[in-house]
Amino acid sequence: PVQLVESGGGSVQAGGSLRLSCAASGYTYSRYSMGWFRQAHGKEREGVASIDTGGSTRIYADSVKGRFTISRDNAKNILYLQMSSLKPEDTAMYSCAARFGNGGGISLNSRVFDYWGQGTQVTVSS
């Protein structure tokens, strides 16, 4: 079965950094574009960053541009999200997701993603 397992979340003070990982298995990882999403308590899920199958094209939500970096290792089937200059408003459950191919361009729209992980909590204190 397809599995996406996130790790690396935790509690950090504002201005700090965290690196999230998403280990993928059960499918041909390199054929899927990937994304990171987050959902804060009481809010809708938000697309944070997305990367194409080869790792050459990336898009970010305006709220994280310049602070977060998405990357992938297709040899290890792992997706990363390096988060720096964290703010309290970054507090949320972060999930990774997989979408077959790059059709129509990479996307931050959660509805086009096929597989989802369970998430890892990130808490940023002021």
Side-chain angles (χ1 to χ4, degrees):
V2 172
Q3 279 195 312
L4 296 173
V5 180
E6 300 93 339
S7 61
S11 296
V12 64
Q13 289 192 325
S17 299
L18 283 173
R19 188 177 79 158
L20 305 184
S21 299
C22 169
S25 62
Y27 69 102
T28 307
Y29 177 72
S30 61
R31 298 182 68 183
Y32 283 70
S33 57
M34 299 294 295
W36 283 102
F37 295 80
R38 66 185 182 186
Q39 187 166 20
H41 183 67
K43 295 187 177 181
E44 292 187 357
R45 183 159 53 193
E46 172 190 21
V48 174
S50 185
I51 189 167
D52 70 345
T53 55
S56 60
T57 303
R58 310 166 192 191
I59 57 173
Y60 297 92
D62 288 343
S63 57
V64 307
K65 278 181 182 176
R67 300 188 298 121
F68 291 11
T69 301
I70 188 172
S71 62
R72 65 188 295 163
D73 186 332
N74 283 355
K76 297 181 178 179
N77 290 3
I78 299 179
L79 176 73
Y80 300 101
L81 184 68
Q82 178 67 48
M83 306 185 295
S84 302
S85 301
L86 283 162
K87 305 175 181 179
E89 52 263 45
D90 294 319
T91 294
M93 180 71 75
Y94 284 71
S95 299
C96 62
R99 174 196 179 200
F100 183 75
N102 301 316
I106 54 174
S107 173
L108 292 176
N109 183 349
S110 62
R111 289 175 291 181
V112 304
F113 282 80
D114 304 304
Y115 303 116
W116 291 84
Q118 292 297 309
T120 184
Q121 178 68 36
V122 172
T123 303
V124 185
S125 58
S126 57

